[in-house]
Amino acid sequence: MPKLTIDGQTYEAEKGKTVIQVADDLGVEIPRYCYHPDIGIEASCRMCLVEVKGAPKLMPACATPIAEGMTIRTNTERVREAVRYAMEFLLLHHPIDCPVCDQSGECWLQDYYMAHAGHDSRFPLGQKTRRRKAFDLGPLVKLDQERCILCTRCVRFTRNVTRTNEIQVFNRGHNSEIGIFEDRPLNNAYSGNVVDICPVGALTSSDFRFRVRVWFLKGTPSVCAGCSTGCNLRIDHSARAVGGGIPGYTATDGKIYRTVGRRNVDVNKSWLCDEGRLSFHALERWPRLRTAMTGGQTRAVIQLLPSIHEHFESIRKAYGDSAVAALVSATHTNEALFLTKKYFEGRVDFRLGREVELYEQRQDDLLRRLDKHPNTRGALDLGLGGEWNGLSGFLRRAETKEIRGMWISFHPQLVGEDAPEILEDLRELIAALEFSVVSTTHDFGWARAASVLLPMASWAEETGTYTNYAGRLQITNRAVMPPGDAQPLHMLMAELLKLSGVQVSHDPDAVFDWIRREVPLYSGVDHDAVGSLGATPAQPV
Amino acid sequence: MTPVKGGYAVDVPVIHVSERARQEHATVWSTFKAFGVTLRRLFTSLFKGDTPTIYYPEQTRPYSERFRGTHILTVRDDGSLKCVACYMCATVCPAECIYIEAGEHPNPEIEKFPTRFDIDMMRCIYCGFCVDACPEEAIIMSREHHQSVYNRDETIYDIEKLMARPGIDAKGPGYRPNRPMAEAKIFDKETQTVCPIPSVIQERHPAVLYESMIRRRD
């Protein structure tokens, strides 16, 4: 463990790290464009220059390995001057595009100009080099060559992370520019990440482009619900009522505009797959269910719950406890699954298809997994995969009248399509039941046949925990409000439990405390311990 | 204006409120004095033409060059909107009355243009911050301030109304950047026959601003 001094403070750091990594760990700020922790080192932007004692020249902090007794200074006049000149060179041919540039507001050029440069341009505006503007690199990414500062982050991403090598630097010297070969568009499954890592407005997302200015957005840390990997992401959603009373703009419900990868070294580094990145659009694929319906009439959810409880109780009385059961899906949070299990006294299953076989299998060698449900492992850990044998088992039991009343909670897959045979089985299951309650997020045709149809909050509208394929517990947060009367499943279940005489808090944190007391696996963790990056509970001995 | 005993030295008329109240103590005599004033004004206005009133709305008093009235969206020489949908006005707007939706412009040099630009005139407080914030002199204000409508929906002005409502320039431009406008101008129906917003050049009686004015109310 070499000791080194940064700005007068002495630290001990792991051997093999570079200066900028140590500085990041310690919270010493060094400006950078080309350095990104997950894509390899280039040292081309010259923004991270620091003064190292004994070295005649300034050293790039991102490419200088630490050594015993190193003395580093990051804020001397020499360093500040070098950074100022580096900024002036980077901005020399940069267009004055900020008002129409999509990166504006989260642009590193803007930030570092205000923090480290602040110069007046010495280059006449009319003589700036013009390059190609706004053209497609692939289905999700647009490139503006004028705005590029040639940090080559995107080049290194396609070289070192996806290993597809679509983006390259062409030409030399002042003529060098980022581009793709004509016959090889940037269409790999992770292409959206180059937009996230581009520090300037050169690479913009065709999906998000021009939809909103970033300073209107509020970021909520959450977890992707697209597959069992559970990549960490940030949901950017509307925070302020732009346009006030203008019709068509809903200020209260909120709207998700994009999702951005959130760095978590243990799960997804900084990356998201394109399917997961765009998975929030799935919430708009069908019309949302806004009100509860029974017998063709709309009713308030809170009025319906007592009658649902009475129906279940009467079926239980007439045909025994085993005549009532619940079918949920692995898209629900642990809290919702646990409360459902409590209300239906263990007669719950979550298997719609082949989740349990697939949840650990990789779809590719980076992130994606074949099971498109975020919480299969969590449902298994809560003991929901019992003898009921999933949807097909319930269907068989309903047809033999072994089960007469059921709660079916369905959340469509955010990535990909739900298998049509699952929907067909659900339709048959509803038809075979005497009394069926379907809680779902969208207004599906097959669900209309149910005795009671309840609107439910979807991903990004409820707080809770998911357990990913590796058993890592992660928090998904509420970013926007559910539409209309919709409520998260754990709140519906808490209300039903209250009717059957058990007082349960609506707060997912408190529900998790209950899980912790009852499920030995989770005994060591709570929401605070899970935090923003998740936690893997120790396996019980 | 130096303070002296009992008041201020000359140049400002000093009003002693209690003194004046005592002088203007209402009597029968002061009533006749008031009749006298009325009579005098009658004769001066009848024979000298010295009327203090004007025939509003046919006549109006001159408004300031910097009057902050209904907004105008300016256009380029080819009649297309100058606005690049940068949202600066929507960002600075303290009343949050501007709603913009941006679209991809076919010309990558312009890149961005508003597919929707609405101002809620009922919400607007006419502070002129949007004009100050605009980097493209694309939004200016006019000296027009009549916004009577029959229907609340019509107080939300869309691109068409903001850009080329009838009589948009009749009273002249109001609050705008304090320099001659370089590339922007106000849309002129006479010279400009092609417009990206097609409804702008449809023929309409100049007196009828909005459909609701001729719609029969029941």
Side-chain angles (χ1 to χ4, degrees), chain A residues 99 130 209 213 215 241, chain B residues 86 91 96 104 109 111 116:
Chain A
R130 302 307 307 270
R209 210 169 137 84
R213 295 314 294 253
W215 52 82
Chain B
C86 71
T91 305
E96 298 182 355
E104 192 94 29
E109 295 290 317
E111 201 159 352
R116 195 172 150 190

Side-chain angles (χ1 to χ4, degrees), chain A residues 39-52:
Chain A
I39 54 171
I41 288 159
E42 176 92 5
S44 65
C45 71
R46 301 281 133 178
M47 282 294 285
C48 64
L49 293 175
V50 290
E51 205 174 280
V52 179

Side-chain angles (χ1 to χ4, degrees), chain A residues 157-195:
Chain A
F157 175 78
T158 56
R159 191 170 65 212
N160 299 338
V161 181
T162 62
R163 299 174 198 280
T164 46
N165 294 305
E166 287 107 340
I167 306 182
Q168 299 291 342
V169 182
F170 292 82
N171 302 331
R172 292 192 299 171
H174 181 64
N175 293 325
S176 50
E177 56 193 27
I178 297 288
I180 50 168
F181 300 105
E182 271 176 19
D183 56 340
R184 285 190 59 194
L186 177 68
N187 57 1
N188 66 57
Y190 294 87
S191 63
N193 289 305
V194 295
V195 178

Side-chain angles (χ1 to χ4, degrees), chain A residues 97-100 102 104 130-131 133-134 142 144 146-147 209-213 215-216 240-249, chain B residues 84-88 90-93 95-99 101-105 108-112 116 118-120 123 135 156:
Chain A
D97 256 358
C98 299
V100 291
D102 228 34
S104 171
R130 302 307 307 270
R131 290 183 204 275
K133 306 275 295 177
K142 279 198 173 208
D144 187 313
E146 271 186 359
R147 294 180 193 151
R209 210 169 137 84
F210 301 160
R211 289 187 62 211
V212 71
R213 295 314 294 253
W215 52 82
F216 293 126
R240 188 182 119 176
V242 189
I246 311 271
Y249 186 86
Chain B
V84 293
C86 71
Y87 286 71
M88 294 301 150
T91 305
V92 79
C93 181
E96 298 182 355
C97 68
I98 303 177
Y99 180 65
E101 271 172 24
E104 192 94 29
H105 199 280
E109 295 290 317
I110 298 171
E111 201 159 352
K112 209 176 171 189
R116 195 172 150 190
D118 294 350
I119 299 183
D120 188 345
R123 227 183 137 104
I156 292 169

Side-chain angles (χ1 to χ4, degrees), chain A residues 404-419:
Chain A
R404 283 159 188 273
M406 268 190 84
W407 181 296
I408 299 161
S409 187
F410 181 78
H411 190 302
Q413 284 181 17
L414 292 181
V415 168
E417 299 282 330
D418 286 290

Side-chain angles (χ1 to χ4, degrees), chain A residues 213-289:
Chain A
R213 295 314 294 253
V214 292
W215 52 82
F216 293 126
L217 297 176
K218 183 175 182 295
T220 301
S222 190
V223 174
C224 179
C227 77
S228 56
T229 306
C231 298
N232 289 213
L233 50 74
R234 193 184 75 218
I235 303 171
D236 282 356
H237 52 96
S238 54
R240 188 182 119 176
V242 189
I246 311 271
Y249 186 86
T250 49
T252 48
D253 282 359
K255 182 173 161 58
I256 302 175
Y257 284 96
R258 66 169 176 186
T259 51
V260 178
R262 188 160 60 88
R263 186 166 150 81
N264 187 341
V265 183
D266 299 325
V267 182
N268 58 322
K269 302 272 182 60
S270 307
W271 317 127
L272 287 181
C273 66
D274 289 352
E275 290 171 343
R277 180 182 300 274
L278 302 180
S279 67
F280 70 94
H281 286 305
L283 302 179
E284 300 157 5
R285 209 187 298 165
W286 309 276
R288 288 298 296 266
L289 187 63

